[in-house]
Amino acid sequence: MAPHGFSRTPEELSAARSEALRGAAVGAAKFGIVTAFLGLGGTLFSPIYRALTIQFKVYLQISGMTLGGWIEADKRFRAWENLRVREKRRLKALERDEGVWREWEKMVEEEVIGKGNGEEKKAGAK
């Protein structure tokens, strides 16, 4: 259930999912590179890291990638959601402005038509 009365169409859900997946992939890649460099540094400079089993080193690498995926997916999804909210607000404001503009046009047309009829009556009376 979407909060605050926002309903999501299947297209919006699909777009949100793909944006989050892209973010997860980018985040996993970024943090994977960082944890790989940290692992390389640990291998070169730390006897404690060198003493760890390969399984634990893989676990550390995957943990960093998972964390990066979560962070980036959340960041991108929130940005996507904020963009959609702004678009909906802008469309509502545009619709409201169009309504006001139509009212002004009606008022102007009524004034012009009213003045035109008044002038015709004056010209016909002379």
Side-chain angles (χ1 to χ4, degrees):
M1 178 67 75
H4 308 294
F6 286 112
S7 60
R8 302 242 193 274
T9 64
E11 293 83 22
E12 286 179 326
L13 292 174
S14 177
R17 183 192 69 228
S18 39
E19 189 64 29
L21 284 173
R22 263 186 283 195
V26 168
K30 280 185 195 176
F31 276 62
I33 291 169
V34 170
T35 55
F37 279 121
L38 290 174
L40 178 64
T43 302
L44 294 175
F45 302 113
S46 172
I48 296 172
Y49 187 81
R50 276 181 278 189
L52 296 175
T53 63
I54 188 68
Q55 292 89 350
F56 193 70
K57 290 177 184 178
V58 169
Y59 168 75
L60 291 175
Q61 178 75 26
I62 291 174
S63 295
M65 293 174 70
T66 303
L67 178 65
W70 285 345
I71 291 171
E72 190 70 22
D74 184 60
K75 177 182 167 187
R76 288 205 181 195
F77 177 74
R78 286 177 185 261
W80 177 87
E81 192 172 39
N82 287 335
L83 178 67
R84 296 298 170 242
V85 168
R86 283 193 316 245
E87 284 178 0
K88 286 183 181 183
R89 285 182 185 161
R90 188 173 54 232
L91 287 175
K92 284 183 182 180
L94 184 61
E95 289 172 0
R96 185 183 63 238
D97 291 347
E98 286 176 354
V100 170
W101 183 255
R102 276 186 243 122
E103 289 178 24
W104 276 99
E105 285 179 336
K106 275 186 188 178
M107 288 174 40
V108 169
E109 286 176 6
E110 289 173 1
E111 279 187 29
V112 168
I113 291 171
K115 286 182 180 178
N117 288 338
E119 291 172 6
E120 290 172 6
K121 289 179 185 175
K122 288 179 186 176
K126 289 184 183 179

